[in-house]
Amino acid sequence: MSDCIFCKIAAGEIPSATLYEDENFRVILDLGPATYGHALIIPKKHYANLIEIPDELAGKAMILAKKVVTVMTKALPCDGYNVVQNNGECAGQTVFHFHIHLIPRYKGDHAGVTWKPGKLTDEARDEILKKAAGKF
């Protein structure tokens, strides 16, 4: 897409702090990091979200996430990692080009990538299982 900022970054049209690049992806440091070392995996082809990206490429993205997290865990003094992929505005997606956030976590960083667990009721469980049955 000609107006997509992530397409331009992935193509090298906009300069970025690139950690890694191959034929499918560019991994960059996020310009608005949640924590020190926050990176993004961006596919070079445009897909708006997880639903649109082909299965094979989604799998490669997760394998790449593992590689980047492994390297960066050794390079940074972090205590853990969040691997986050948002889909849709209400889920926090602000750039509508599939990407994965790799967020190093540090004790006491208060990055806010957590939630308060609710409770799965029997009614909700049964309703969800019925709606999803046979769809996979």
Side-chain angles (χ1 to χ4, degrees):
M1 291 183 59
S2 62
D3 62 339
C4 175
I5 191 162
F6 278 7
C7 284
K8 291 176 182 178
I9 292 170
E13 295 171 21
I14 296 175
S16 64
T18 299
L19 289 169
Y20 173 86
E21 181 178 8
D22 64 23
E23 65 277 2
N24 296 307
F25 301 99
R26 183 180 294 261
V27 181
I28 66 167
L29 292 177
D30 195 313
L31 290 177
T35 64
Y36 177 76
H38 179 170
L40 301 174
I41 296 175
I42 304 171
K44 291 187 173 180
K45 287 186 71 178
H46 184 85
Y47 306 99
N49 54 41
L50 183 63
I51 295 166
E52 288 188 9
I53 193 168
D55 292 351
E56 182 181 345
L57 200 57
K60 287 180 179 182
M62 190 53 74
I63 291 167
L64 179 55
K66 180 182 183 222
K67 289 178 183 178
V68 174
V69 166
T70 300
V71 168
M72 296 303 282
T73 296
K74 293 174 185 171
L76 302 174
C78 63
D79 301 303
Y81 251 92
N82 286 116
V83 177
V84 179
Q85 202 286 305
N86 301 317
N87 290 278
E89 188 176 347
C90 73
Q93 186 177 13
T94 57
V95 178
F96 295 89
H97 178 119
F98 174 89
H99 57 287
I100 299 174
H101 293 265
L102 306 174
I103 305 170
R105 299 306 304 266
Y106 306 89
K107 289 184 179 142
D109 66 22
H110 305 292
V113 189
T114 59
W115 56 88
K116 183 179 177 187
K119 180 177 179 358
L120 177 64
T121 65
D122 292 344
E123 295 81 15
R125 178 201 62 217
D126 293 346
E127 180 182 343
I128 294 165
L129 291 174
K130 182 179 178 182
K131 287 180 178 181
K135 305 262 191 321
F136 294 96

